[in-house]
Amino acid sequence: MTSLFNNYARRAVHLVKGQGTVVTDDQGKEYLDFTSGIAVVSLGHAHPTIVKALQNQSEKLWHISNLFESPEQEKLAESLTKDTDLSYALFCNSGAEANEAAIKLARKHTGKHLILTFEKSFHGRTFGAMSATGQDKIRQGFGPLLESFETLPFNDVDALKGAANENVAAIMLEVIQGEGGVNSVEPAFAQAIMEACQQHGILLIIDEVQTGIGRTGTRYAYEQTALKPDIVTLAKGLGGGFPIGALIAGKDLFDTFGPGSHGTTFGGNPLAVAVAQTVVDHVFEPTFLQDVQDKSAYFKAQLQSVLPTEKFSVRGNGLLLGIHSNEEIAPVIQKAEQQGLLLVPAGTNVIRLLPPLTVSKKEIDQAVAILKNILN
């Protein structure tokens, strides 16, 4: 008997405590958490510096609304846009909200409505974000979607060239499609996107909700490509487990979002900003990002050394990795859980690996040993 809707396929595990990469259920069993709350707990569970930041802020101020000045928001905005071609930030509560804001900003700024998105993409479950998402299973049953989205094959240069024209307001994509199968943008496709944007006056929206804030080994995943976004959306790892989303955009778009054009009651509240600033201060350190890249290379090498290549391949960057299988992977995820390793899928044939960015090589070795035992 439950008083909850059945919209989540919940697992029969009740987690009650977490520290770093390890979580514990109500029976005292420990698990390696290679889900990170789906790429959220970027610095691991109960990171002491985050805990302290939240405790300190909770004793001062929780909420004042965005009717008042916020030096703390100003500082976080500067941290997110420093050394980029982006200049301004808007804070909200989630990735879907950030993507809704991006859609509104692009349409209002250009005066155009058509936005090009891609198959297997995922941008959220609100009506606008769902309309932008290139997966039928997300859209089914909800009736007519928001108009003016065209979904193209991912990494298909010819399809992009055929669809891009002066009527397009924006192109919206993930550098690595996390939910859609850990599919990375190819260099030729990234170049074609930039050419289309420059030729036709199209804005580029990059959804970094899952890939941003160090997840791929750089501050933002687009920094590893030829892509130069006009708008970037963030959430998940930005708050290290506390709800916050953000949109950051170039200076040319500043006047488009004037007073009254967009808003949020809880967005950028002092608790969320204090936590996010702590996360960014940690993650954006060059030595921290290099450590993520080193652990990524180690993780990939370990996986490739134990997995039969005729059945599996490893893709992705940083600590957003996917094991692509010839078979459905739901039984693998279930067996891994039984052996103390928590995983999430990315479609029916991909195991998604999302450990905290603070994961140790010893913990990587433990996870690889479990996967080797199951997959072989």
Side-chain angles (χ1 to χ4, degrees):
M1 188 68 180
T2 179
S3 297
L4 296 172
F5 270 108
N6 193 35
N7 57 313
Y8 299 108
R10 295 185 189 272
R11 305 182 192 181
V13 175
H14 177 201
L15 301 174
V16 297
K17 186 175 68 174
Q19 188 68 53
T21 308
V22 177
V23 290
T24 308
D25 69 15
D26 57 350
Q27 304 300 310
K29 181 178 178 179
E30 293 187 342
Y31 305 81
L32 286 171
D33 181 9
F34 274 48
T35 75
S36 298
I38 313 182
V40 169
V41 190
S42 47
L43 295 181
H45 295 273
H47 190 284
T49 308
I50 294 181
V51 171
K52 184 177 180 180
L54 185 58
Q55 288 175 337
N56 289 344
Q57 185 60 50
S58 72
E59 296 171 355
K60 293 189 290 187
L61 192 65
W62 285 35
H63 181 75
I64 53 170
S65 92
N66 286 299
L67 297 177
F68 300 92
E69 289 188 355
S70 174
E72 294 78 16
Q73 283 192 24
E74 293 279 358
K75 180 181 177 183
L76 181 56
E78 290 174 5
S79 298
L80 293 173
T81 58
K82 183 180 179 181
D83 298 325
T84 73
D85 292 328
L86 307 168
S87 303
Y88 299 102
L90 177 152
F91 296 107
C92 52
N93 304 287
S94 70
E97 282 190 35
N99 284 331
E100 289 285 344
I103 292 166
K104 289 177 65 175
L105 180 59
R107 289 176 61 156
K108 190 171 190 290
H109 183 77
T110 63
K112 299 181 285 188
H113 304 149
L114 179 60
I115 295 178
L116 303 180
T117 64
F118 299 97
E119 294 174 0
K120 298 186 178 180
S121 62
F122 182 83
H123 299 293
R125 295 180 183 271
T126 54
F127 250 90
M130 181 173 62
S131 301
T133 293
Q135 299 187 56
D136 289 339
K137 68 179 182 180
I138 304 297
R139 301 170 165 186
Q140 288 173 353
F142 296 103
L145 300 175
L146 188 67
E147 295 180 354
S148 301
F149 288 91
E150 183 177 350
T151 305
L152 306 176
F154 193 52
N155 282 324
D156 189 325
V157 173
D158 291 336
L160 175 68
K161 289 181 178 179
N165 56 51
E166 281 71 18
N167 296 319
V168 176
I171 294 171
M172 185 174 188
L173 83 157
E174 303 151 277
V175 176
I176 302 176
Q177 295 180 328
E179 298 285 336
V182 191
N183 309 306
S184 299
V185 66
E186 295 174 356
F189 193 59
Q191 189 60 46
I193 287 172
M194 290 311 305
E195 292 172 0
C197 289
Q198 292 161 5
Q199 182 178 353
H200 302 293
I202 298 171
L203 296 179
L204 177 57
I205 303 170
I206 298 186
D207 179 341
E208 294 257 15
V209 169
Q210 187 161 163
T211 57
I213 315 300
R215 175 54 59 179
T216 66
T218 50
R219 295 174 306 170
Y220 308 114
Y222 80 80
E223 293 175 312
Q224 301 174 41
T225 73
L227 298 170
K228 296 189 180 301
D230 300 284
I231 302 169
V232 170
T233 56
L234 303 166
K236 287 189 180 289
L238 175 60
F242 200 96
I244 185 171
L247 173 152
I248 53 178
K251 61 183 180 181
D252 293 344
L253 283 74
F254 176 76
D255 291 333
T256 304
F257 264 3
S261 58
H262 191 67
T264 164
T265 298
F266 296 107
N269 71 79
L271 293 170
V273 170
V275 172
Q277 186 68 61
T278 304
V279 171
V280 169
D281 287 345
H282 271 69
V283 173
F284 282 10
E285 280 292 321
T287 53
F288 185 95
L289 293 170
Q290 184 60 54
D291 189 50
V292 172
Q293 294 176 32
D294 293 344
K295 287 185 288 194
S296 174
Y298 180 80
F299 200 177
K300 285 182 179 178
Q302 294 302 103
L303 288 169
Q304 290 164 347
S305 71
V306 302
L307 299 179
T309 56
E310 69 274 10
K311 296 175 67 175
F312 304 101
S313 61
V314 180
R315 305 180 193 175
N317 286 330
L319 292 174
L320 169 50
L321 301 179
I323 301 175
H324 288 241
S325 172
N326 296 335
E327 301 174 356
E328 292 193 5
I329 48 79
V332 175
I333 290 176
Q334 184 177 10
K335 290 177 182 177
E337 181 180 295
Q338 293 167 356
Q339 296 188 27
L341 174 63
L342 301 182
L343 303 168
V344 287
T348 58
N349 296 86
V350 181
I351 302 167
R352 198 168 9 154
L353 301 165
L354 296 165
L357 305 183
T358 51
V359 66
S360 68
K361 288 185 177 180
K362 179 180 177 180
E363 290 166 336
I364 289 172
D365 288 341
Q366 292 170 342
V368 170
I370 292 172
L371 286 167
K372 177 184 178 181
N373 181 49
I374 296 169
L375 295 175
N376 286 331

